[in-house]
Amino acid sequence: MNRPFDYQQELDTLHFTPEQKSRIAGQALTAARQASPRRHRPVRRTLLIAAAAVLVLAVGTAGATGILKSAAESFAGVFGGNVAQTEIIDQIGRPIGASATDNGVTITADAILGDQYNACIVYTISRDDGQPLLPEGTSPKSLLMGGFGGADLSIRGGCHGSSWFIDENPDDSAIQMVQSLSADVPITSCTATAEFQDLCYFDEETGSSIPVVEGHWKFRFDVDYEDASITLGGGEAFEQGGMTFTVDKVTVSPVAVQVAYTVDSPVQWSDAPSGRQSDGDRREMERYFENVEILLTKTDGTVIDLSTSGGSIKPKGGVTVCTKGRVLDEILPLADLESVSVGGVVYPVPQV
């Protein structure tokens, strides 16, 4: 392969934010220190097949039990619950209710919302006996999945994202995990496969992850929600670093921002070993991707810098095709957005 990362085909075109790199590095370091067979996919799969006769893995829907929450209820602890946000979530979000149970713990995909290229999913992890899920004093911020930890989408394209944990109600026996996903191809109406393995917390003193609940959970659900995104511009160009960048499309919604652009020269990757980024590759990443400024301006004058968003880089026919964007930290009504700026080119958000 002629790119700096070839862990798997899909990762060839991915770029990770510093926060995502930190999380991935931490999980990789932990897995290396814990030389358990369960960390290796072929062995783990064999063990799961062999254990199928004795493992009780219940897969169903929370809707069948009458406890299916609305999308607004599920996302209240993630994005807040003011009137404007609740109205948008009610409009574009959808409850899911798919779940799996192992080792006395159930993981449920509560709800999903998103747009054409981005999605946000909230899960609930709870003990079936009603007892506290986490040891006393354990912060959700220190949690991570020891292996698999989220949904993969059935798409033909690159995908990046992140996940984090929150505790909506410290007095109950559950916590929530939030996953954001962004792709360089449309993701609406596809299927998601959610898979989780071993809920752990990260011990900063020892630099290792400690299992809180061991188990394996897997289920599927449809990626179904209302796409409220709009498309801005296309064809505008700007010069930077001796290259011409042509903006192909800017997509903005109350949930996310996505920018697609083409650079008039092919990115040149080195032959660095798998998983390592050479100085030359780092400079190429900066020139073609990281140095492209994306600013979202609200009508009140607030500017949100999205320049560190993740995305993809694909050499193609003598040029380089890139996408860059992410799920926003809060739900923003389009009426509250003034413009999106890409490399200094300003795209006003139309007000209906």
Side-chain angles (χ1 to χ4, degrees), residues 24 35 72 82 85 88 90 107 111 121 130 140 155 162 164 179 191 208 241 281 318 320 322 344-345 347:
I24 293 171
N82 66 43
Q85 291 173 329
I88 292 173
D90 278 336
I107 299 182
I121 309 162
I155 59 173
S162 62
W164 64 97
Q179 181 184 16
T191 301
S208 61
D281 291 334
T320 303
C322 305
V345 179
Y347 297 90

PDB file of all heavy atoms in Angstrom, residues 24 35 72 82 85 88 90 107 111 121 130 140 155 162 164 179 191 208 241 281 318 320 322 344-345 347:
ATOM      1  N   ILE A  24      -7.495   5.831  20.676  1.00  0.00           N
ATOM      2  CA  ILE A  24      -7.058   4.633  19.972  1.00  0.00           C
ATOM      3  C   ILE A  24      -5.726   4.157  20.516  1.00  0.00           C
ATOM      4  O   ILE A  24      -5.512   2.969  20.753  1.00  0.00           O
ATOM      5  CB  ILE A  24      -6.970   4.898  18.463  1.00  0.00           C
ATOM      6  CG1 ILE A  24      -8.381   5.129  17.889  1.00  0.00           C
ATOM      7  CG2 ILE A  24      -6.290   3.731  17.736  1.00  0.00           C
ATOM      8  CD1 ILE A  24      -8.382   5.616  16.465  1.00  0.00           C
ATOM      9  N   ALA A  35      -2.003  -9.491  27.348  1.00  0.00           N
ATOM     10  CA  ALA A  35      -1.829 -10.484  26.287  1.00  0.00           C
ATOM     11  C   ALA A  35      -2.842 -11.610  26.446  1.00  0.00           C
ATOM     12  O   ALA A  35      -2.514 -12.763  26.690  1.00  0.00           O
ATOM     13  CB  ALA A  35      -0.406 -11.044  26.314  1.00  0.00           C
ATOM     14  N   ALA A  72     -36.058  12.268  22.021  1.00  0.00           N
ATOM     15  CA  ALA A  72     -35.801  13.456  22.840  1.00  0.00           C
ATOM     16  C   ALA A  72     -35.400  13.077  24.256  1.00  0.00           C
ATOM     17  O   ALA A  72     -34.487  13.679  24.842  1.00  0.00           O
ATOM     18  CB  ALA A  72     -37.030  14.359  22.857  1.00  0.00           C
ATOM     19  N   ASN A  82     -33.416  21.933  26.006  1.00  0.00           N
ATOM     20  CA  ASN A  82     -34.222  23.151  25.860  1.00  0.00           C
ATOM     21  C   ASN A  82     -35.252  22.951  24.753  1.00  0.00           C
ATOM     22  O   ASN A  82     -35.212  21.985  23.989  1.00  0.00           O
ATOM     23  CB  ASN A  82     -33.341  24.379  25.602  1.00  0.00           C
ATOM     24  CG  ASN A  82     -32.606  24.330  24.267  1.00  0.00           C
ATOM     25  OD1 ASN A  82     -33.177  23.957  23.246  1.00  0.00           O
ATOM     26  ND2 ASN A  82     -31.337  24.713  24.273  1.00  0.00           N
ATOM     27  N   GLN A  85     -33.991  22.562  21.031  1.00  0.00           N
ATOM     28  CA  GLN A  85     -33.290  21.301  20.800  1.00  0.00           C
ATOM     29  C   GLN A  85     -34.255  20.121  20.808  1.00  0.00           C
ATOM     30  O   GLN A  85     -34.169  19.223  19.969  1.00  0.00           O
ATOM     31  CB  GLN A  85     -32.208  21.118  21.863  1.00  0.00           C
ATOM     32  CG  GLN A  85     -31.051  22.091  21.727  1.00  0.00           C
ATOM     33  CD  GLN A  85     -30.085  21.995  22.895  1.00  0.00           C
ATOM     34  OE1 GLN A  85     -30.483  21.689  24.016  1.00  0.00           O
ATOM     35  NE2 GLN A  85     -28.819  22.266  22.643  1.00  0.00           N
ATOM     36  N   ILE A  88     -36.186  19.821  17.558  1.00  0.00           N
ATOM     37  CA  ILE A  88     -35.381  19.290  16.461  1.00  0.00           C
ATOM     38  C   ILE A  88     -35.178  17.789  16.628  1.00  0.00           C
ATOM     39  O   ILE A  88     -35.319  17.015  15.670  1.00  0.00           O
ATOM     40  CB  ILE A  88     -34.028  20.018  16.387  1.00  0.00           C
ATOM     41  CG1 ILE A  88     -34.239  21.467  15.947  1.00  0.00           C
ATOM     42  CG2 ILE A  88     -33.084  19.303  15.414  1.00  0.00           C
ATOM     43  CD1 ILE A  88     -32.987  22.304  16.002  1.00  0.00           C
ATOM     44  N   ASP A  90     -37.059  15.686  18.250  1.00  0.00           N
ATOM     45  CA  ASP A  90     -38.336  15.021  17.979  1.00  0.00           C
ATOM     46  C   ASP A  90     -38.589  14.906  16.483  1.00  0.00           C
ATOM     47  O   ASP A  90     -39.180  13.927  16.012  1.00  0.00           O
ATOM     48  CB  ASP A  90     -39.488  15.791  18.637  1.00  0.00           C
ATOM     49  CG  ASP A  90     -39.642  15.459  20.113  1.00  0.00           C
ATOM     50  OD1 ASP A  90     -39.200  14.364  20.510  1.00  0.00           O
ATOM     51  OD2 ASP A  90     -40.197  16.283  20.864  1.00  0.00           O
ATOM     52  N   ILE A 107     -27.111  -4.148  26.986  1.00  0.00           N
ATOM     53  CA  ILE A 107     -26.767  -2.936  26.242  1.00  0.00           C
ATOM     54  C   ILE A 107     -27.877  -2.695  25.225  1.00  0.00           C
ATOM     55  O   ILE A 107     -28.195  -3.586  24.430  1.00  0.00           O
ATOM     56  CB  ILE A 107     -25.407  -3.040  25.545  1.00  0.00           C
ATOM     57  CG1 ILE A 107     -24.295  -3.264  26.578  1.00  0.00           C
ATOM     58  CG2 ILE A 107     -25.124  -1.783  24.727  1.00  0.00           C
ATOM     59  CD1 ILE A 107     -22.900  -3.329  25.974  1.00  0.00           C
ATOM     60  N   ALA A 111     -31.544   5.411  20.821  1.00  0.00           N
ATOM     61  CA  ALA A 111     -32.037   6.322  19.785  1.00  0.00           C
ATOM     62  C   ALA A 111     -30.901   6.742  18.866  1.00  0.00           C
ATOM     63  O   ALA A 111     -29.717   6.602  19.192  1.00  0.00           O
ATOM     64  CB  ALA A 111     -32.693   7.546  20.413  1.00  0.00           C
ATOM     65  N   ILE A 121     -25.534   8.164  18.069  1.00  0.00           N
ATOM     66  CA  ILE A 121     -26.304   7.083  18.679  1.00  0.00           C
ATOM     67  C   ILE A 121     -26.054   7.105  20.180  1.00  0.00           C
ATOM     68  O   ILE A 121     -24.914   7.283  20.628  1.00  0.00           O
ATOM     69  CB  ILE A 121     -25.877   5.718  18.115  1.00  0.00           C
ATOM     70  CG1 ILE A 121     -25.890   5.725  16.582  1.00  0.00           C
ATOM     71  CG2 ILE A 121     -26.765   4.598  18.657  1.00  0.00           C
ATOM     72  CD1 ILE A 121     -25.083   4.607  15.964  1.00  0.00           C
ATOM     73  N   GLY A 130     -30.635  -4.670  38.821  1.00  0.00           N
ATOM     74  CA  GLY A 130     -30.873  -3.379  39.440  1.00  0.00           C
ATOM     75  C   GLY A 130     -29.754  -2.872  40.316  1.00  0.00           C
ATOM     76  O   GLY A 130     -29.832  -1.759  40.848  1.00  0.00           O
ATOM     77  N   PRO A 140     -17.537   7.961  34.830  1.00  0.00           N
ATOM     78  CA  PRO A 140     -17.797   7.547  33.443  1.00  0.00           C
ATOM     79  C   PRO A 140     -16.718   8.008  32.474  1.00  0.00           C
ATOM     80  O   PRO A 140     -16.508   7.379  31.433  1.00  0.00           O
ATOM     81  CB  PRO A 140     -19.150   8.196  33.135  1.00  0.00           C
ATOM     82  CG  PRO A 140     -19.805   8.395  34.461  1.00  0.00           C
ATOM     83  CD  PRO A 140     -18.680   8.697  35.408  1.00  0.00           C
ATOM     84  N   ILE A 155     -21.676   0.274   4.711  1.00  0.00           N
ATOM     85  CA  ILE A 155     -21.485   1.236   3.628  1.00  0.00           C
ATOM     86  C   ILE A 155     -20.192   0.929   2.892  1.00  0.00           C
ATOM     87  O   ILE A 155     -19.302   0.262   3.419  1.00  0.00           O
ATOM     88  CB  ILE A 155     -21.440   2.693   4.163  1.00  0.00           C
ATOM     89  CG1 ILE A 155     -20.300   2.844   5.181  1.00  0.00           C
ATOM     90  CG2 ILE A 155     -22.772   3.079   4.782  1.00  0.00           C
ATOM     91  CD1 ILE A 155     -20.074   4.256   5.640  1.00  0.00           C
ATOM     92  N   SER A 162     -16.145   8.911  17.195  1.00  0.00           N
ATOM     93  CA  SER A 162     -15.645   8.830  18.561  1.00  0.00           C
ATOM     94  C   SER A 162     -16.778   8.358  19.466  1.00  0.00           C
ATOM     95  O   SER A 162     -17.935   8.271  19.050  1.00  0.00           O
ATOM     96  CB  SER A 162     -15.118  10.196  19.021  1.00  0.00           C
ATOM     97  OG  SER A 162     -16.168  11.157  19.023  1.00  0.00           O
ATOM     98  N   TRP A 164     -18.007   8.272  23.920  1.00  0.00           N
ATOM     99  CA  TRP A 164     -17.739   8.669  25.299  1.00  0.00           C
ATOM    100  C   TRP A 164     -18.904   8.221  26.171  1.00  0.00           C
ATOM    101  O   TRP A 164     -19.967   7.843  25.675  1.00  0.00           O
ATOM    102  CB  TRP A 164     -17.518  10.174  25.395  1.00  0.00           C
ATOM    103  CG  TRP A 164     -18.707  11.025  25.026  1.00  0.00           C
ATOM    104  CD1 TRP A 164     -19.629  11.585  25.865  1.00  0.00           C
ATOM    105  CD2 TRP A 164     -19.103  11.426  23.699  1.00  0.00           C
ATOM    106  NE1 TRP A 164     -20.562  12.308  25.154  1.00  0.00           N
ATOM    107  CE2 TRP A 164     -20.262  12.226  23.831  1.00  0.00           C
ATOM    108  CE3 TRP A 164     -18.580  11.178  22.420  1.00  0.00           C
ATOM    109  CZ2 TRP A 164     -20.910  12.771  22.724  1.00  0.00           C
ATOM    110  CZ3 TRP A 164     -19.238  11.715  21.328  1.00  0.00           C
ATOM    111  CH2 TRP A 164     -20.377  12.516  21.485  1.00  0.00           C
ATOM    112  N   GLN A 179     -22.083   7.544  20.764  1.00  0.00           N
ATOM    113  CA  GLN A 179     -21.193   7.305  19.625  1.00  0.00           C
ATOM    114  C   GLN A 179     -21.547   8.246  18.491  1.00  0.00           C
ATOM    115  O   GLN A 179     -22.708   8.378  18.115  1.00  0.00           O
ATOM    116  CB  GLN A 179     -21.309   5.854  19.143  1.00  0.00           C
ATOM    117  CG  GLN A 179     -20.389   5.540  17.964  1.00  0.00           C
ATOM    118  CD  GLN A 179     -20.581   4.129  17.414  1.00  0.00           C
ATOM    119  OE1 GLN A 179     -21.575   3.467  17.700  1.00  0.00           O
ATOM    120  NE2 GLN A 179     -19.619   3.678  16.621  1.00  0.00           N
ATOM    121  N   THR A 191     -27.646  -0.358   7.319  1.00  0.00           N
ATOM    122  CA  THR A 191     -27.786  -1.177   8.522  1.00  0.00           C
ATOM    123  C   THR A 191     -26.549  -1.019   9.400  1.00  0.00           C
ATOM    124  O   THR A 191     -25.427  -0.972   8.892  1.00  0.00           O
ATOM    125  CB  THR A 191     -27.971  -2.660   8.156  1.00  0.00           C
ATOM    126  OG1 THR A 191     -29.142  -2.805   7.345  1.00  0.00           O
ATOM    127  CG2 THR A 191     -28.124  -3.516   9.403  1.00  0.00           C
ATOM    128  N   SER A 208      -3.241   0.771  32.661  1.00  0.00           N
ATOM    129  CA  SER A 208      -3.922  -0.403  32.115  1.00  0.00           C
ATOM    130  C   SER A 208      -5.424  -0.273  32.305  1.00  0.00           C
ATOM    131  O   SER A 208      -5.899   0.536  33.111  1.00  0.00           O
ATOM    132  CB  SER A 208      -3.424  -1.679  32.796  1.00  0.00           C
ATOM    133  OG  SER A 208      -3.694  -1.633  34.191  1.00  0.00           O
ATOM    134  N   GLY A 241      -0.799  26.953   0.171  1.00  0.00           N
ATOM    135  CA  GLY A 241       0.386  26.110   0.105  1.00  0.00           C
ATOM    136  C   GLY A 241       0.808  25.749  -1.300  1.00  0.00           C
ATOM    137  O   GLY A 241       1.359  24.664  -1.532  1.00  0.00           O
ATOM    138  N   ASP A 281       4.891  12.066   5.734  1.00  0.00           N
ATOM    139  CA  ASP A 281       3.456  11.807   5.730  1.00  0.00           C
ATOM    140  C   ASP A 281       2.719  12.820   6.592  1.00  0.00           C
ATOM    141  O   ASP A 281       1.619  13.265   6.249  1.00  0.00           O
ATOM    142  CB  ASP A 281       3.165  10.397   6.235  1.00  0.00           C
ATOM    143  CG  ASP A 281       3.640   9.325   5.264  1.00  0.00           C
ATOM    144  OD1 ASP A 281       3.728   9.634   4.054  1.00  0.00           O
ATOM    145  OD2 ASP A 281       3.911   8.201   5.707  1.00  0.00           O
ATOM    146  N   GLY A 318      -4.701  11.744 -10.403  1.00  0.00           N
ATOM    147  CA  GLY A 318      -3.838  12.914 -10.421  1.00  0.00           C
ATOM    148  C   GLY A 318      -4.266  14.045  -9.506  1.00  0.00           C
ATOM    149  O   GLY A 318      -3.604  15.086  -9.457  1.00  0.00           O
ATOM    150  N   THR A 320      -6.428  14.890  -5.460  1.00  0.00           N
ATOM    151  CA  THR A 320      -6.715  14.295  -4.152  1.00  0.00           C
ATOM    152  C   THR A 320      -8.093  14.736  -3.700  1.00  0.00           C
ATOM    153  O   THR A 320      -8.374  15.932  -3.608  1.00  0.00           O
ATOM    154  CB  THR A 320      -5.664  14.718  -3.103  1.00  0.00           C
ATOM    155  OG1 THR A 320      -4.358  14.342  -3.570  1.00  0.00           O
ATOM    156  CG2 THR A 320      -5.927  14.048  -1.774  1.00  0.00           C
ATOM    157  N   CYS A 322     -10.921  14.871  -0.825  1.00  0.00           N
ATOM    158  CA  CYS A 322     -10.964  14.863   0.633  1.00  0.00           C
ATOM    159  C   CYS A 322     -12.368  15.161   1.147  1.00  0.00           C
ATOM    160  O   CYS A 322     -13.133  15.893   0.509  1.00  0.00           O
ATOM    161  CB  CYS A 322     -10.011  15.908   1.214  1.00  0.00           C
ATOM    162  SG  CYS A 322      -8.296  15.766   0.674  1.00  0.00           S
ATOM    163  N   GLY A 344     -11.449  30.211   3.862  1.00  0.00           N
ATOM    164  CA  GLY A 344     -11.711  31.627   3.624  1.00  0.00           C
ATOM    165  C   GLY A 344     -12.891  31.900   2.714  1.00  0.00           C
ATOM    166  O   GLY A 344     -13.336  33.045   2.601  1.00  0.00           O
ATOM    167  N   VAL A 345     -13.419  30.878   2.046  1.00  0.00           N
ATOM    168  CA  VAL A 345     -14.610  31.037   1.206  1.00  0.00           C
ATOM    169  C   VAL A 345     -15.836  30.929   2.112  1.00  0.00           C
ATOM    170  O   VAL A 345     -16.019  29.914   2.798  1.00  0.00           O
ATOM    171  CB  VAL A 345     -14.673  29.969   0.100  1.00  0.00           C
ATOM    172  CG1 VAL A 345     -15.929  30.159  -0.744  1.00  0.00           C
ATOM    173  CG2 VAL A 345     -13.420  30.023  -0.770  1.00  0.00           C
ATOM    174  N   TYR A 347     -19.816  30.654   2.962  1.00  0.00           N
ATOM    175  CA  TYR A 347     -21.092  30.168   2.451  1.00  0.00           C
ATOM    176  C   TYR A 347     -22.199  30.557   3.436  1.00  0.00           C
ATOM    177  O   TYR A 347     -22.292  29.972   4.520  1.00  0.00           O
ATOM    178  CB  TYR A 347     -21.066  28.644   2.294  1.00  0.00           C
ATOM    179  CG  TYR A 347     -20.049  28.153   1.291  1.00  0.00           C
ATOM    180  CD1 TYR A 347     -18.746  27.856   1.694  1.00  0.00           C
ATOM    181  CD2 TYR A 347     -20.384  28.005  -0.044  1.00  0.00           C
ATOM    182  CE1 TYR A 347     -17.805  27.415   0.783  1.00  0.00           C
ATOM    183  CE2 TYR A 347     -19.452  27.556  -0.976  1.00  0.00           C
ATOM    184  CZ  TYR A 347     -18.159  27.270  -0.556  1.00  0.00           C
ATOM    185  OH  TYR A 347     -17.227  26.833  -1.466  1.00  0.00           O
TER     186      TYR A 347
END
